[in-house]
Amino acid sequence: MASTETTEAVEPVKTDDLAGLEAGLDALDSVQIRRAPVREVLLKKVLPPALAVALVLVVWQLLVVAKVADEGKLPSPGAVWDSLSDMWLQGTLLEVLWTSVSRALLGFLLALAIGTPLGLLVARVGAVRAAIGPILSGLQSLPSVAWVAPAVLWLGLNDSMMYAVILLGAVPSIANGLVAGVDQVPPLFLRAGRTLGATGLKGAWHIVMPAALPGYLAGLKQGWAFSWRSLMAAEIIASSPDLGLGLGQLLENGRNNFDMPGIFLAIILILLVGVAIDLLIFSPLERAVLRRRGLLVKA
């Protein structure tokens, strides 16, 4: 009789323990996401870069006031602003920005279309990796400016030459990024995919690519950086009225005309475009991937 009562007393305890364990596991699985208040966003995301920019401008102005260099070598922030205002009033600022940004984005999309299947092929086929893997690594380390001269001789002074330089600079980075991502996929995922019938292209699409996404995104960011730098090198070296006025040509025109405010303005615009693309495209993609994998959780 006592044994029966003891068993009945233990069973509720075990049931309570299991219920508590399930609740704990559910709490771990659930991702608590809250929208940050506007004040918090301003303090943590907007204020620090704004203060950094303000500090740079103050130091810049102090160097000008101290006459560390003459105005022909170090223009004031006001002179650069005047150059920006002149371009805006003339209606050429947006045209110059669009010329370079549209070339870079189209070239990057072409590089994406070529580099993704190439990287997947290199990562999944041993013979292909042994044959062209070292070549891709060598091409990635080759300065993009080296391709400008042969591209001009091959294709002439036209947009095709610009896109060729972008592709030669960006494709190796995208392909190598995907290869690195695929190499980090746990073998268990691949075996589970084969067990479920995900082989060939189906396995690559449903198993390999999602698992390799973090490394692939890193390759895409690097590929964009190479695309942008390759385009700027091509626009600076291969300047021609037939190509239109881009940021690289704007920088080269400033050098030819001894226009230091124009040179500083071109440099600042090139920097701003790179920062804007990262903030508007790649940073949201990275946050989305991390959030889906439970690596970007806010309590």
Side-chain angles (χ1 to χ4, degrees):
M1 190 71 177
S3 176
T4 304
E5 292 177 354
T6 303
T7 303
E8 292 177 352
V10 170
E11 286 181 353
V13 173
K14 290 183 177 180
T15 303
D16 293 340
D17 290 343
L18 290 176
L21 179 60
E22 291 177 356
L25 292 175
D26 291 340
L28 288 175
D29 289 337
S30 62
V31 177
Q32 303 295 329
I33 300 175
R34 66 177 178 86
R35 183 177 295 275
V38 176
R39 182 180 178 182
E40 182 179 343
V41 173
L42 291 176
L43 290 177
K44 293 185 177 181
K45 298 295 182 66
V46 178
L47 186 59
L51 290 176
V53 171
L55 179 61
V56 170
L57 291 176
V58 169
V59 173
W60 183 1
Q61 184 62 41
L62 290 176
L63 292 175
V64 173
V65 172
K67 296 183 179 180
V68 175
D70 58 71
E71 293 184 1
K73 295 180 180 180
L74 182 63
S76 66
V80 177
W81 176 260
D82 291 340
S83 182
L84 175 66
S85 300
D86 291 341
M87 289 190 64
W88 176 262
L89 294 176
Q90 294 170 7
T92 58
L93 179 61
L94 295 180
E95 180 182 352
V96 170
L97 287 171
W98 176 245
T99 298
S100 292
V101 172
S102 61
R103 281 175 181 164
L105 290 177
L106 180 56
F108 175 73
L109 291 177
L110 292 174
L112 181 64
I114 297 173
T116 299
L118 178 61
L120 196 59
L121 187 65
V122 172
R124 301 294 292 163
V125 182
V128 176
R129 172 177 288 201
I132 67 173
I135 298 176
L136 284 177
S137 298
L139 289 175
Q140 186 176 357
S141 63
L142 183 68
S144 305
V145 68
W147 292 111
V148 177
V152 171
L153 296 177
W154 293 335
L155 302 172
L157 288 172
N158 50 45
D159 284 337
S160 298
M161 178 272 298
M162 299 283 185
Y163 296 132
V165 174
I166 293 174
L167 290 177
L168 291 169
V171 167
S173 297
I174 295 174
N176 283 330
L178 182 54
V179 170
V182 173
D183 288 344
Q184 296 172 9
V185 175
L188 181 61
F189 288 8
L190 303 178
R191 290 197 296 268
R194 286 193 296 267
T195 302
L196 296 174
T199 59
L201 292 177
K202 185 183 294 185
W205 179 255
H206 293 287
I207 304 297
V208 176
M209 288 299 293
L213 197 54
Y216 182 46
L217 281 178
L220 292 184
K221 286 187 68 173
Q222 192 174 40
W224 162 254
F226 273 84
S227 297
W228 189 237
R229 288 188 292 181
S230 300
L231 176 62
M232 291 301 102
E235 288 186 350
I236 290 172
I237 296 175
S239 297
S240 172
D242 297 333
L243 292 172
L245 184 62
L247 291 173
Q249 288 98 332
L250 182 66
L251 182 60
E252 180 65 10
N253 290 344
R255 185 187 70 84
N256 292 331
N257 298 325
F258 300 98
D259 180 14
M260 285 304 296
I263 292 175
F264 271 68
L265 175 61
I267 293 173
I268 292 172
L269 291 176
I270 292 170
L271 175 64
L272 289 178
V273 170
V275 173
I277 294 296
D278 181 73
L279 292 178
L280 295 176
I281 298 178
F282 293 109
S283 292
L285 283 176
E286 283 185 333
R287 287 196 299 269
V289 171
L290 293 175
R291 187 177 293 112
R292 289 185 61 182
R293 291 167 185 253
L295 300 175
L296 190 67
V297 180
K298 293 183 178 180

